[in-house]
């Protein structure tokens, strides 16, 4: 009787361990999946940030182009920035 009870208990314990092992594997798979999604989102965020930065024309740049003397270094530098942004939009 004692051996049968012990065998039943060990059988249940083995079943519980098997269940826990399956749960751990499932959680590890979820973790890997979440890590891939996080990596992809970070990469997308970086690309979108670069895109937005290249698309944006700051008000100070507009003011400089409109208000500065065309012979000033600041005006020429602003035109170069604007040129780069326009080329970005064309590609």
């Amino acid at each position: 009787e004692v051996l049968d009870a012990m065998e039943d208990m060990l059988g249940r314990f083995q079943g519980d361990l098997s269940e826990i092992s399956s749960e751990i594997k499932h959680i590890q798979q979820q973790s890997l999946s979440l890590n891939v999604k996080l990596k992809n989102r970070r990469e997308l965020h970086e690309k979108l940030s670069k895109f937005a930065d290249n698309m944006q024309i700051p008000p100070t740049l507009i003011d400089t182009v409109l208000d500065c003397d065309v012979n000033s270094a600041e005006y020429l530098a602003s035109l170069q920035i604007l040129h780069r942004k326009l080329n970005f939009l064309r590609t």
Side-chain angles (χ1 to χ4, degrees):
E1 261 182 62
V2 174
L3 289 177
D4 286 339
M6 191 84 146
E7 186 179 348
D8 288 342
M9 184 178 72
L10 288 174
R12 285 192 308 273
F13 183 70
Q14 185 177 10
D16 291 344
L17 285 178
S18 178
E19 234 179 87
I20 291 170
S21 176
S22 294
E23 287 178 21
I24 289 172
K25 286 178 186 176
H26 179 71
I27 290 170
Q28 285 174 331
Q29 289 171 344
Q30 284 181 324
S31 176
L32 289 173
S33 175
L34 289 173
N35 282 333
V36 168
K37 288 178 181 179
L38 177 61
K39 180 181 174 242
N40 290 342
R41 286 183 184 196
R42 283 183 176 158
E43 288 176 5
L44 179 62
H45 180 267
E46 183 180 328
K47 289 179 182 180
L48 286 175
S49 291
K50 280 178 135 177
F51 181 77
D53 287 343
N54 284 316
M55 292 282 298
Q56 175 189 3
I57 299 176
T60 55
L61 180 65
I62 295 168
D63 291 341
T64 301
V65 171
L66 293 177
D67 298 334
C68 277
D69 180 54
V70 293
N71 294 320
S72 72
E74 187 179 7
Y75 179 81
L76 293 175
S78 295
L79 280 184
Q80 289 173 339
I81 294 169
L82 185 58
H83 181 72
R84 279 196 306 265
K85 289 181 178 286
L86 289 173
N87 280 338
F88 174 80
L89 292 174
R90 287 184 188 129
T91 59

